[in-house]
Amino acid sequence: MFHLIVGISSFFSFLDIDAYIGVNIGTDLSDMPTPTEVVALLKAQRIRHVRLYDADQAMLLALAKTGIQVTVSVPNDQLLGIGQSNATAANWVARNIVAHVPATNITAIAVGSEVLTALPNAAPILVSALKFIDSALVASNLDDQIKVSTPHSSSIILDSFPPSQAFFNRSWDPVMVPLLKFLQSTGSYLMLNVYPYYDYMQSNGKIPLDYALFRPLPPNKEAVDANTLLHYTNVFDAVVDAAYFAMSYLNFTNIPIVVTESGWPSKGDSSEPDAIVDNANTYNSNLIKHVLNNTGTPKHPGIAVSTYIYELYNEDLRPGSDSEKNWGLFDANGIPVYTLHLTGADTVFANDTTNKTFCIAKRGADPKMLQAALDWACGPGKVDCSPLLMGHPCYEPNNVASHSTYAFNAYYQRMAKSPGTCDFKGVATITTSDPSHGSCIFPGSSRKNGTLINGTSLAPSSNDTSSARPPQSYGTGSFTTSVMIGVLLTGAVFL
């Protein structure tokens, strides 16, 4: 079980680091992708920054030697133990950090999540937990490479408009002051979750929808801070600047902010009429462009704010309202919920995957049904299955799932991806990840000269232990990969 965020970058002057936009991968899906599939997706989408909500060992191993920069997290249920014991913190770092670097490029640790509001009984030991984790990094000479912080809900900021009058809830001063001192002394940053959707929903009509969605406003509709005369054209900037001013109120002026969660749901129940695809697309597209353009905020123009989008996948099993299940950019099968409007950003993100689709065998499909569908595709379906013969490029892995995937996709591409041509009685599904592998280049692939241009293969491993039929057959076995596609961008470099 793991959560993941991925990101885009742009220069951040406070610490000479990059800002990035990211996406979460939740675990409440009916068909979770494997770590190998997630990494294949990240590489295919040229995503260079990820954040895990825990320190999932399989995920960290899958990320090894990819160069992808990783933020790992201490879950809230482990916080009390780490905050009360230096030895426990050292063991956590040894097991989850030292064991994986430098192969896995870990650059930050998020200790807990919204602790002050979600787990207030742990607040007294929060700073100790950060310090113990950092001490363990120092002992391993990793403190320069890996920064330590903790994500906060923006609700800890009171009177957030006008931003210049904002301050942190003073009941948390005994935590916030030493926390900010720690962030300042270690060259780290304040992590903040910013949700304009909830600000809009809870404003009783006071916040215009366009203001929440980054849509252009006429000058007379912009919010103006009467104390600074700064003009605010969106909720996101106002909340971020409120956090900057709140830190200034406590005499901290040189700590940057990373927004660890932000997004907009694409579907809601009857009480959430603005949780729709168009609004989700508008918000996330505009947020990404806002970061990539190095727009910054009115208080700090030109200084982009690192931001993680919540989230990569819809979570169909997540409890709660419809909106809780529909923050994702992709559905559980890896199909885009919508295509982000990122004109001019194609060098850093390839979200428009609607024309780059492939047909593959479903994970867990009945091998007998796969074999029947494979026989049909290579017979009446008129697919050229010669690449699947022994000695030919796509013979290995020699199992029915791998061979079916090749044949299904060849038929799908030959039929110009027409509706219904990737079904095969329910054992096939569409993916946006290229299933080519080794010298086996699938029809429709952009791969050339033995190198996959944007990613890694989703084909089953040649170490697959499922049964294989004799030579010259088209294979038997079970398909072990999934169909997930990722999203997000990379601008410059982070940390």
Side-chain angles (χ1 to χ4, degrees), residues 191-214:
M191 292 179 171
L192 186 70
N193 296 340
V194 178
Y195 282 104
Y197 172 74
Y198 289 124
D199 291 328
Y200 164 74
M201 288 289 291
Q202 296 165 9
S203 71
N204 296 318
K206 294 180 181 178
I207 294 178
L209 181 61
D210 288 347
Y211 183 60
L213 294 173
F214 290 92

Side-chain angles (χ1 to χ4, degrees), residues 390-405:
M390 178 178 281
H392 290 247
C394 299
Y395 174 70
E396 295 289 351
N398 180 24
N399 58 64
V400 71
S402 179
H403 287 194
S404 294
T405 287

Side-chain angles (χ1 to χ4, degrees), residues 131-163:
K131 289 181 176 180
F132 289 160
I133 292 288
D134 187 64
S135 294
L137 293 175
V138 170
S140 298
N141 294 317
L142 292 173
D143 54 307
D144 287 338
Q145 173 187 336
I146 302 173
K147 299 302 177 185
V148 182
S149 188
T150 182
H152 296 284
S153 166
S154 60
S155 65
I156 67 169
I157 304 169
L158 303 183
D159 293 341
S160 59
F161 201 90

Side-chain angles (χ1 to χ4, degrees), residues 32 48 50 95 130 188 190 199 207 209 224 238 241 259 268 293 333 365 385 389 396 421 426 438 445 453 478 480 489:
M32 275 298 298
R48 306 306 305 158
V50 303
R95 182 174 65 255
L130 271 70
S188 191
L190 181 75
D199 291 328
I207 294 178
L209 181 61
V224 180
D241 271 1
V259 173
N293 293 339
N333 292 317
C385 291
L389 298 176
E396 295 289 351
T421 58
S445 173
I453 293 176
S478 59
T480 59
L489 11 155

Side-chain angles (χ1 to χ4, degrees), residues 305-341:
V305 179
S306 301
T307 304
Y308 292 106
I309 290 179
Y310 184 86
E311 60 184 328
L312 186 57
Y313 298 111
N314 280 337
E315 298 186 81
D316 58 332
L317 300 181
R318 189 177 181 87
S321 65
D322 283 350
S323 66
E324 289 296 318
K325 309 174 193 294
N326 289 280
W327 289 80
L329 298 167
F330 293 81
D331 68 17
N333 292 317
I335 305 301
V337 177
Y338 47 84
T339 299
L340 292 167
H341 303 313

Side-chain angles (χ1 to χ4, degrees), residues 93-267:
V93 169
R95 182 174 65 255
N96 298 301
I97 306 297
V98 177
H100 294 281
V101 297
T104 303
N105 189 14
I106 299 172
T107 57
I109 301 173
V111 180
S113 179
E114 298 189 345
V115 173
L116 300 186
T117 50
L119 194 67
N121 63 308
I125 54 86
L126 178 60
V127 177
S128 294
L130 271 70
K131 289 181 176 180
F132 289 160
I133 292 288
D134 187 64
S135 294
L137 293 175
V138 170
S140 298
N141 294 317
L142 292 173
D143 54 307
D144 287 338
Q145 173 187 336
I146 302 173
K147 299 302 177 185
V148 182
S149 188
T150 182
H152 296 284
S153 166
S154 60
S155 65
I156 67 169
I157 304 169
L158 303 183
D159 293 341
S160 59
F161 201 90
S164 62
Q165 293 182 191
F167 56 94
F168 295 121
N169 185 327
R170 287 169 186 156
S171 65
W172 293 122
D173 279 1
V175 177
M176 290 303 299
V177 172
L179 171 63
L180 294 173
K181 287 181 179 179
F182 169 82
L183 299 179
Q184 185 179 65
S185 66
T186 59
S188 191
Y189 35 81
L190 181 75
M191 292 179 171
L192 186 70
N193 296 340
V194 178
Y195 282 104
Y197 172 74
Y198 289 124
D199 291 328
Y200 164 74
M201 288 289 291
Q202 296 165 9
S203 71
N204 296 318
K206 294 180 181 178
I207 294 178
L209 181 61
D210 288 347
Y211 183 60
L213 294 173
F214 290 92
R215 285 178 177 151
L217 297 172
N220 65 327
K221 296 291 185 181
E222 294 177 357
V224 180
D225 187 324
N227 299 314
T228 62
L229 299 183
L230 294 174
H231 286 236
Y232 288 88
T233 60
N234 61 80
V235 174
F236 181 88
D237 283 353
V239 174
V240 171
D241 271 1
Y244 280 130
F245 278 108
M247 285 193 287
S248 296
Y249 183 86
L250 296 177
N251 298 314
F252 296 92
T253 59
N254 60 348
I255 299 173
I257 292 171
V258 170
V259 173
T260 35
E261 294 178 19
S262 192
W264 197 283
S266 60
K267 183 181 179 181

